[in-house]
């Protein structure tokens, strides 16, 4: 242990002992982030009629209640459909926007970047209110189309930022070489540029999916009827009554999110090794 503390932690010869304060801080931060998860998961296996931690008796009662409820299944289907469609809509638009911003030589192009990320800077509740009134006029309130458009509005800025960061380290001369040999710009992008930033694109797609799947504020305003989202129903259930089914759903959502993050990391490791 003493040898490890005295050994260099980096190329700067800073030892692990000198970095111990950073390790302690990181562990405390991780514990604070993970504790809510460790509380929710056991509660989902409780047999109690109310949220209970720690559970006195263990049961799959609330998982059966979730999978056996047509209302929850409808909301789950809506959320998954909206998330997938948001990913399919937001990712290509965001990637092309990031590529355009990176390759453009137009003066004041940074203004366009600021406009693209505006939905991230405006309070989400204002976006929700604006979308609500606009959708009433367009008659797309409580529709899947409206839900996907609103969620895409939130997802595109994330895609632009992540993909734009990847393009910053990409040498555009490679694409220029392909174009000088006769390849159209779209083909040079698809065959030269896109494969080299694919990890950023996949990460962006994941973030777009999770942005839609976890979003609740906008969903409270514009989803409902035949298209209620899972997060909207969870919020309503928590407000109207304390239903432990929420804990079961939260555990499933944690599992889905964790699985997707693991898959992205595996993909990134394999992409980096090539």
């Amino acid at each position: 242990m003493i040898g490890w503390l005295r050994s260099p932690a980096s190329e700067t010869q800073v030892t692990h002992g000198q970095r111990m304060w950073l390790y302690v801080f990181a562990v405390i931060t991780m514990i604070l982030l993970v504790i809510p998860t460790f509380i929710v998961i056991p509660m989902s296996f409780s047999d109690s009629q109310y949220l209970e931690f720690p559970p006195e008796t263990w049961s799959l009662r609330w998982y059966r209640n979730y999978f056996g409820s047509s209302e929850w299944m409808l909301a789950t289907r809506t959320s998954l459909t909206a998330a997938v469609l948001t990913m399919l809509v937001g990712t290509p638009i965001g990637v092309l926007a990031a590529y355009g911003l990176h390759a453009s030589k137009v003066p004041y192009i940074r203004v366009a970047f600021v406009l693209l990320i505006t939905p991230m800077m405006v309070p989400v509740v204002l976006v929700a209110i604006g979308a609500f009134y606009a959708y009433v006029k367009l008659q797309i309130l409580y529709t899947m189309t409206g839900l996907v458009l609103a969620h895409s509005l939130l997802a595109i800025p994330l895609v632009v930022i992540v993909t734009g960061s990847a393009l910053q380290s990409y040498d555009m001369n490679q694409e220029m070489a392909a174009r000088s040999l006769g390849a159209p710009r779209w083909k040079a992008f698809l065959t030269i540029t896109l494969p080299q930033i694919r990890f950023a694109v996949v990460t962006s797609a994941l973030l777009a999916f999770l942005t839609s799947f976890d979003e609740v504020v906008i969903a409270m305003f514009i989803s409902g009827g035949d298209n209620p989202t899972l997060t909207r129903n969870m919020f309503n259930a928590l407000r109207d009554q304390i239903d432990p089914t929420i804990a079961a759903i939260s555990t499933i959502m944690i599992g889905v999110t964790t699985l997707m993050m693991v898959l992205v990391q595996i993909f990134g490791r394999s992409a980096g090794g090539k």
Side-chain angles (χ1 to χ4, degrees):
M1 184 63 180
I2 299 299
W4 178 80
L5 291 174
R6 294 177 177 175
S7 63
S10 66
E11 296 179 356
T12 61
Q13 300 302 308
V14 175
T15 64
H16 290 288
Q18 293 171 318
R19 273 192 174 181
M20 185 56 63
W21 68 271
L22 181 60
Y23 298 153
V24 172
F25 180 77
V27 169
I28 293 175
T29 303
M30 290 294 294
I31 291 174
L32 292 176
L33 291 173
V34 172
I35 279 178
T37 301
F38 285 152
I39 292 177
V40 169
I41 293 176
M43 285 195 301
S44 70
F45 293 97
S46 172
D47 191 44
S48 173
Q49 185 69 30
Y50 305 99
L51 292 174
E52 180 183 80
F53 181 85
E56 294 184 3
T57 56
W58 298 85
S59 172
L60 296 176
R61 171 185 179 182
W62 302 113
Y63 288 92
R64 290 192 294 267
N65 187 61
Y66 166 61
F67 287 108
S69 170
S70 58
E71 181 181 356
W72 285 116
M73 289 296 100
L74 174 62
T76 302
R77 183 165 59 250
T78 299
S79 288
L80 289 174
T81 302
V84 171
L85 292 177
T86 299
M87 179 179 65
L88 295 177
V89 172
T91 304
I93 293 176
V95 169
L96 292 177
Y99 175 78
L101 290 171
H102 180 73
S104 177
K105 304 300 181 183
V106 177
Y108 307 111
I109 193 64
R110 299 295 297 178
V111 176
F113 173 76
V114 173
L115 291 176
L116 281 171
I117 66 172
T118 298
M120 295 183 62
M121 299 184 289
V122 176
V124 180
V125 66
L126 296 182
V127 177
I129 294 172
F132 175 80
Y133 283 107
Y135 287 3
V136 169
K137 297 292 185 181
L138 297 173
Q139 297 183 355
I140 56 174
L141 191 65
Y142 301 156
T143 65
M144 181 60 67
T145 300
L147 191 60
V148 171
L149 288 177
H151 285 177
S152 297
L153 187 68
L154 299 180
I156 289 174
L158 294 173
V159 178
V160 170
I161 291 174
V162 174
T163 308
S165 298
L167 287 169
Q168 290 297 325
S169 60
Y170 170 70
D171 185 5
M172 287 294 291
N173 289 326
Q174 300 179 58
E175 183 178 309
M176 294 295 293
R179 292 168 58 190
S180 68
L181 294 174
R185 185 161 196 161
W186 64 267
K187 188 173 184 179
F189 172 77
L190 292 177
T191 58
I192 304 298
T193 304
L194 187 59
Q196 298 194 53
I197 63 170
R198 64 186 182 275
F199 179 54
V201 173
V202 173
T203 302
S204 300
L206 169 67
L207 292 175
F209 180 94
L210 294 178
T211 297
S212 174
F213 192 64
D214 293 338
E215 202 284 321
V216 62
V217 178
I218 291 179
M220 292 297 297
F221 282 82
I222 66 172
S223 73
D226 294 332
N227 293 290
T229 64
L230 192 59
T231 51
R232 175 191 171 92
N233 281 12
M234 290 174 67
F235 182 85
N236 288 336
L238 188 61
R239 180 193 61 190
D240 299 335
Q241 60 181 353
I242 300 178
D243 185 357
T245 306
I246 300 173
I249 299 172
S250 299
T251 301
I252 293 173
M253 293 178 71
I254 291 170
V256 171
T257 303
T258 302
L259 176 62
M260 294 186 70
M261 293 296 293
V262 169
L263 290 176
V264 168
Q265 294 301 317
I266 293 175
F267 178 86
R269 188 177 295 111
S270 63
K274 292 183 179 179

